[in-house]
Amino acid sequence: MAKNGGHLASNLGVVELTVALHRVFSSPDDAIIFDVSHQCYAHKMLTGRYAEFDSLRMHGGISGFSRTQESPHDFFDNGHSSTSISQGLGLLTAWNLQKKEGKVVVVIGDGALTGGMAFEALSHAGQLSKNLIVVLNDNQMSISPNTSSISRYLSRLTMSHTYQSFRYWVDGIVDKIPDSRRHVGKLIYRFKRAMKGLFLSTNLFSDLGFEYVGPLDGHDIAEMEKVFRRVRSLPKPVVVHVRTVKGKGYSPAENDPATFHGIGPFQISDGTFEKFDTLSFTESFSRALIPMAEQNPRIVAITAAMAKGTGLDAFSRRFPDRFFDVGIAEEHAVTFAGGLSAGGMIPVVAIYSTFIQRAVDQIIHDVALSNRAVVFCFDRAGIVPGDGETHQGLFDIALLRPVPNLTLLAPASAADLQKCLAWAVEQGTPVAIRYPKMSCPSEQNVFSEPLVVGRGVLVRTEDVAPALVAEGVRKSVLFVCTGGIGGEVVQAARSLAMEEIYADVYYLRFIKPVDEAYFAGIAGQYAAVVLVEDGVQQGGIGEYLQTVLFSRGITNVAVKAFPDVFLSHGTRSEIAEDAGMSPKDIADAARALCAKKSAQGD
């Protein structure tokens, strides 16, 4: 972990729990399913991947999440929250229908119970009365500390330890009576229910049809083994509530679990890690929003358990009454924002691109349909290194470009992002701004130009690299790109210039709407046009712009976008190379168009 980075605090918190589960249950004949699965590292070590662990999150190595193609002990490819109970219930039902023996254990925590899908599954599990075992890993954290009413409810449940101690004492006595379960089972069950009512007036899990056990010390292996052996034989669904400490055993992670939830390489001796002076897009967004909110009291900010990851932690300290962390509940975050807008506020909703996928219906139905003034900020759009298939932010353009009333922007620099954000909060309509997980590139004067709806920014090679292009040289190629992949496009343009194939770069800025006539007027000045986007090709902006140019007789055009596959983990450059989207691949597309044009004699 110190070498590769990853999810440290969440994994340290479940070491003893994972050991206890594997001692009692026999994976893969029994299924152990981790929600989100960013806490499955010890599970990987215990299921045949110890020797490969040095390759964790490295290109070609093992994933930082559960992965079906990696091991039969991983039943699902998990990376998003609140899915495990639904998955486990479905798997268990399938096994029961096929008369297959085996237990299904679900481990859910880190705030995942704040997601509505988890409650939908709990309700259905209680209805089906399947003997699903749900282990609630209660560490009072998601990434940041939990603040929801669910968290407070779980804290109140921990006060029921007196009942559980009494219950185990009764069970110990009953177990010593021959055939006790057959003769006095109903009586004992009713007695325990009555005593539970005295010690704990309400229990949501019991009301949903689950047997509730806990809270247990999640770092006491012997106690957990004992309980897991008991619940293994229960004929009904059960929730086992365990209390754990995120970052357990490593003081830097225990003292700062939010920072060590997901961290890059660090020094084991003291937990220090390298800090870079470069400004990221996330930091740029954070710095831009606060002065806007100081000037406009109607601006509020919303995130889904990702205050630090989205840069809104600074906003939350400056405007605590205007900041809302809704927990891991993206659907609610979007519809809540629609309600705030209806009441006259200007909500800024900051969520990772990969997680906003869960709220596409709410964007369409609860915001765009009513044309609400909501600003969406999609962090980590495009390539996302390290986390693999479940976290790539490649689908937002194709998913949201067709939505009526929604404007979609893709800034290319810190100044450009600030300008896009300031414009968005003034529109009174839905606007989405997407930006990558990376450092902002060097600023260029053209990015300070005012926004004109539907138009982008043209950067001429001689303006950024005058040594490469003599003044007056005719350009052969126009690269057209979304802002998040501008760095790779600039590298491609510079490599072509060394071969005296000169290219300019047109940053779209507006993915929707596009001023088609203006765009085609610029593109028509070049012998070849390469459309590059950090999103999937099918349904993307590149395909659309290609049809715009074709309809105007501009046909020497190529589209470079991400293929119809799920992309594994690696560095940004490794992922781009795997996808055929490296600077070399982009330059090769331009070379091919230029060769084609030359062969035609033009």
Side-chain angles (χ1 to χ4, degrees), residues 135-183:
V135 177
L136 175 55
N137 173 33
D138 178 10
N139 57 22
Q140 298 185 318
M141 296 283 292
S142 47
I143 292 175
S144 303
N146 285 334
T147 57
S148 70
S149 56
I150 295 299
S151 176
R152 291 193 295 273
Y153 176 77
L154 292 177
S155 296
R156 186 164 62 83
L157 283 183
T158 65
M159 301 303 293
S160 66
H161 182 71
T162 304
Y163 162 73
Q164 293 299 337
S165 299
F166 176 81
R167 170 207 174 126
Y168 294 146
W169 177 74
V170 171
D171 285 344
I173 294 174
V174 171
D175 286 343
K176 296 176 182 178
I177 303 173
D179 295 328
S180 60
R181 298 297 174 185
R182 182 163 60 89
H183 294 303

Side-chain angles (χ1 to χ4, degrees), residues 98-326:
Q98 298 172 71
K99 310 301 181 186
K100 181 185 181 303
E101 297 294 330
K103 289 291 185 179
V104 175
V105 183
V106 167
V107 181
I108 184 169
D110 279 352
L113 205 61
T114 61
M117 185 176 176
F119 285 95
E120 295 172 14
L122 285 171
S123 177
H124 192 205
Q127 172 191 336
L128 290 180
S129 295
K130 301 293 183 185
N131 55 340
L132 181 71
I133 300 170
V134 177
V135 177
L136 175 55
N137 173 33
D138 178 10
N139 57 22
Q140 298 185 318
M141 296 283 292
S142 47
I143 292 175
S144 303
N146 285 334
T147 57
S148 70
S149 56
I150 295 299
S151 176
R152 291 193 295 273
Y153 176 77
L154 292 177
S155 296
R156 186 164 62 83
L157 283 183
T158 65
M159 301 303 293
S160 66
H161 182 71
T162 304
Y163 162 73
Q164 293 299 337
S165 299
F166 176 81
R167 170 207 174 126
Y168 294 146
W169 177 74
V170 171
D171 285 344
I173 294 174
V174 171
D175 286 343
K176 296 176 182 178
I177 303 173
D179 295 328
S180 60
R181 298 297 174 185
R182 182 163 60 89
H183 294 303
V184 294
K186 289 185 179 180
L187 176 63
I188 294 297
Y189 174 75
R190 290 173 182 171
F191 176 68
K192 288 195 294 184
R193 290 287 291 182
M195 294 308 298
K196 183 180 290 187
L198 290 176
F199 288 108
L200 186 64
S201 57
T202 59
N203 186 318
L204 172 66
F205 304 111
S206 297
D207 291 341
L208 288 172
F210 282 77
E211 180 71 9
Y212 172 80
V213 179
L216 309 177
D217 180 354
H219 302 292
D220 186 333
I221 295 178
E223 181 185 13
M224 287 187 290
E225 281 189 64
K226 178 181 176 181
V227 172
F228 289 148
R229 288 194 179 95
R230 283 181 178 275
V231 301
R232 191 185 166 92
S233 61
L234 287 177
K236 61 181 297 189
V238 58
V239 168
V240 181
H241 183 180
V242 300
R243 296 296 304 272
T244 61
V245 175
K246 201 167 182 180
K248 179 71 172 178
Y250 182 55
S251 56
E254 283 193 42
N255 296 333
D256 189 4
T259 296
F260 281 87
H261 172 83
I263 193 169
F266 62 94
Q267 295 293 326
I268 293 177
S269 58
D270 58 5
T272 57
F273 51 92
E274 187 174 1
K275 296 181 180 179
F276 299 95
D277 294 332
T278 55
L279 182 70
S280 70
F281 277 93
T282 301
E283 292 167 330
S284 177
F285 159 72
S286 177
R287 294 183 184 184
L289 184 61
I290 290 176
M292 293 178 196
E294 289 172 342
Q295 296 295 318
N296 189 342
R298 295 170 57 211
I299 293 176
V300 296
I302 303 168
T303 192
M306 302 294 284
K308 191 164 188 174
T310 60
L312 284 179
D313 52 339
F315 186 99
S316 70
R317 294 189 293 271
R318 178 66 180 84
F319 305 104
D321 294 336
R322 291 156 61 186
F323 169 75
F324 304 95
D325 185 342
V326 302

Side-chain angles (χ1 to χ4, degrees), residues 2 100 102 110 137-138 187 191 262 265 267 279 354 426 499 504 514 536 541 553 555 557 587 594:
K100 181 185 181 303
D110 279 352
N137 173 33
D138 178 10
L187 176 63
F191 176 68
Q267 295 293 326
L279 182 70
T354 185
E426 297 295 330
E499 305 168 26
D504 290 337
V514 173
V536 293
I541 184 64
T555 59
V557 180
C594 291

Side-chain angles (χ1 to χ4, degrees), residues 13-24:
V14 298
V15 171
E16 295 87 353
L17 172 59
T18 305
V19 170
L21 286 170
H22 276 285
R23 284 182 174 172
V24 174

